[in-house]
Amino acid sequence: MGFWELLEVASAPVIQVLLISALGAFLATDYCNNLLSADFRKSLNKIVFIAFTPSLIFASFAKSVSLDDMILWWFMPVNIGLTFLIGGILGWIIVKLLKPNLKVEGLIIASCSTGNLGNLPVVIIPAICDQKGGPFGTRDECRNRALSYASFSLAIGGIFIWTYTYQLVRNRSMRYKAFEAAEILKIPNIDLDANAETHLLKGNDNENTNIGDSENQIVRFHVIETLSQILQELMSPPTIATFFGFLFGGVKWLRNLIIGHNAPLKVIQDSIEMLGDGTIPCITILLGGNLTQGMRSSSIQPLILICVSIARLFLLPAIGFFVVKAASNFGFLPVDPLFQYVLVMQYALPPAMNISTMVQLFDVGTEEFSVILLWTYSAATIALTLWSTFLIWALS
């Protein structure tokens, strides 16, 4: 496979994202009477979170992955976890070195740790198999394996994205809103006279006996609040869809109820797939709509954009390549070069567009993250092509 052919395959999905984003940006302008307004984008994001994304996760996982596949591909969840861990460390280093605004700290860490494990692998990896003389076997055989790997990646990635990344974005957003509220409500210090100060000190002495009880109440409150947050995450629609995707994909008789031409409940799977098909276009159009506001008002520093792009698209996949090669040498991986290709590409993907759904839900950093996506996806056109070329040469 020549360089120009590979360039076309690797850049096509990213170009598609940019074209659909341009449509979203146009719909959000005055030329279309602000059809994609901020309030409409927020409502559509909630629909994507509650209906479209869970449908995509369930349909892809239940249809393409069986219990035997899950056992054979046990290293893929570990590998995806490592992408989040190593990427999160790189993002944390960037935050510590550059000391950005609190508003974008979570976005930087999330962008470095959370790759687009959903729609891009589904498009890119099977496209490699469509090329004549591909290194991963015949077209049909390669394509079937590629779709299975991509669906498994989507489902496992969904677990990490809607637990780790969701909690990361949520906590940073809440911290920023609390800080912003404290700045708004800040009251100037008032000089106290001697009598007032003495009165306050006496009042404090009388209240010391209740400090222990108050601290215990605060500890109990935080424990209850933490358990409540964990329960909310476990009950989120994408997480529930992932669980049922595991269940229906792994249990044969449940799988036969909805999967296959003769399945008695095939209409349910078809309906879920139809809903899931709306996820990618909606997220991409929303990205373009958010981009219009971000290009005008975002204050994110160019150095941050450069560091995130280098960490996410070049440094992280370089580390991932050695991780996958080490796993292969220890015999942890199936004897399939395409499987290794998928594992390394999981490190090289640009940030997940689902993050834009999260920041829209919490209404913090939507403009800044749109700019991060624009830069990283533009750089990914080159980065994905280079990594694909290198991996095909190294694995074939």
Side-chain angles (χ1 to χ4, degrees):
M1 187 185 301
F3 173 78
W4 292 111
E5 290 81 1
L6 186 59
L7 174 64
E8 181 181 357
V9 171
S11 61
V14 181
I15 293 175
Q16 290 174 4
V17 170
L18 294 177
L19 289 175
I20 299 175
S21 298
L23 173 61
F26 178 71
L27 293 176
T29 61
D30 295 334
Y31 295 103
C32 291
N33 297 322
N34 198 20
L35 181 62
L36 204 62
S37 64
D39 292 336
F40 179 78
R41 293 198 301 268
K42 183 178 294 187
S43 298
L44 185 56
N45 259 296
K46 293 179 180 179
I47 296 175
V48 171
F49 176 72
I50 294 173
F52 290 171
T53 299
S55 299
L56 179 64
I57 292 174
F58 177 86
S60 300
F61 198 83
K63 184 176 182 179
S64 303
V65 183
S66 65
L67 180 60
D68 293 337
D69 293 332
M70 297 181 205
I71 297 173
L72 185 63
W73 304 339
W74 67 269
F75 188 78
M76 185 177 288
V78 176
N79 188 71
I80 292 176
L82 290 174
T83 68
F84 279 79
L85 175 62
I86 300 172
I89 293 174
L90 294 176
W92 179 80
I93 293 174
I94 293 175
V95 168
K96 292 300 180 182
L97 291 178
L98 301 184
K99 301 184 183 304
N101 187 290
L102 178 62
K103 188 176 184 180
V104 299
E105 282 187 5
L107 301 181
I108 293 173
I109 299 175
S111 299
C112 291
S113 63
T114 309
N116 191 336
L117 298 168
N119 54 310
L120 276 186
V122 171
V123 177
I124 292 176
I125 297 171
I128 297 294
C129 302
D130 293 335
Q131 303 300 317
K132 294 181 179 180
F136 302 125
T138 62
R139 179 186 180 279
D140 292 339
E141 180 186 357
C142 173
R143 190 172 180 82
N144 289 335
R145 286 184 290 128
L147 286 172
S148 297
Y149 295 155
S151 298
F152 194 47
S153 175
L154 184 152
I156 299 299
I159 297 176
F160 286 93
I161 289 174
W162 292 105
T163 52
Y164 166 77
T165 308
Y166 180 79
Q167 177 68 9
L168 172 65
V169 174
R170 180 182 183 277
N171 285 345
R172 298 285 176 158
S173 299
M174 294 301 103
R175 283 181 57 191
Y176 173 75
K177 287 184 176 181
F179 177 80
E180 189 177 38
E183 289 293 316
I184 294 174
L185 299 175
K186 186 180 292 183
I187 301 175
N189 292 329
I190 301 175
D191 293 333
L192 299 174
D193 58 25
N195 294 331
E197 186 174 355
T198 303
H199 176 72
L200 289 174
L201 290 175
K202 289 181 178 179
N204 289 337
D205 290 337
N206 294 332
E207 293 174 358
N208 282 339
T209 57
N210 297 324
I211 290 179
D213 293 338
S214 299
E215 290 180 347
N216 291 334
Q217 291 177 358
I218 292 174
V219 170
R220 286 195 295 268
F221 173 78
H222 284 301
V223 170
I224 294 174
E225 185 181 25
T226 302
L227 292 176
S228 176
Q229 291 177 0
I230 294 174
L231 182 60
Q232 289 179 2
E233 293 167 13
L234 292 177
M235 296 302 293
S236 67
T239 305
I240 293 174
T242 302
F243 169 76
F244 281 103
F246 270 113
L247 185 63
F248 278 80
V251 180
K252 187 175 182 179
W253 70 269
L254 288 176
R255 181 187 179 95
N256 292 336
L257 285 177
I258 61 174
I259 304 297
H261 294 292
N262 298 323
L265 301 178
K266 183 177 182 296
V267 65
I268 295 179
Q269 174 69 5
D270 293 340
S271 301
I272 293 175
E273 286 183 349
M274 186 180 297
L275 278 175
D277 290 341
T279 305
I280 296 171
C282 283
I283 290 177
T284 311
I285 287 178
L286 288 169
L287 167 64
N290 293 332
L291 181 62
T292 57
Q293 191 174 1
M295 291 297 290
R296 292 194 299 264
S297 61
S298 175
S299 59
I300 191 168
Q301 301 174 7
L303 183 59
I304 293 177
L305 299 173
I306 295 173
C307 290
V308 170
S309 298
I310 292 175
R312 177 71 238 182
L313 301 175
F314 295 97
L315 185 56
L316 181 60
I319 298 173
F321 176 76
F322 290 104
V323 171
V324 174
K325 290 301 292 183
S328 178
N329 292 336
F330 282 108
F332 294 157
L333 308 181
V335 184
D336 184 1
L338 180 59
F339 189 76
Q340 298 182 37
Y341 174 87
V342 173
L343 293 182
V344 179
M345 288 299 292
Q346 288 171 344
Y347 290 89
L349 296 168
M353 288 187 291
N354 283 333
I355 302 175
S356 64
T357 301
M358 299 176 191
V359 298
Q360 189 74 34
L361 288 173
F362 300 116
D363 197 22
V364 173
T366 54
E367 301 89 351
E368 288 79 4
F369 186 69
S370 297
V371 176
I372 291 176
L373 282 183
L374 175 66
W375 279 70
T376 53
Y377 274 76
S378 300
T381 306
I382 300 174
L384 289 176
T385 300
L386 295 177
W387 281 111
S388 294
T389 305
F390 171 73
L391 292 175
I392 291 175
W393 170 82
L395 299 174
S396 59

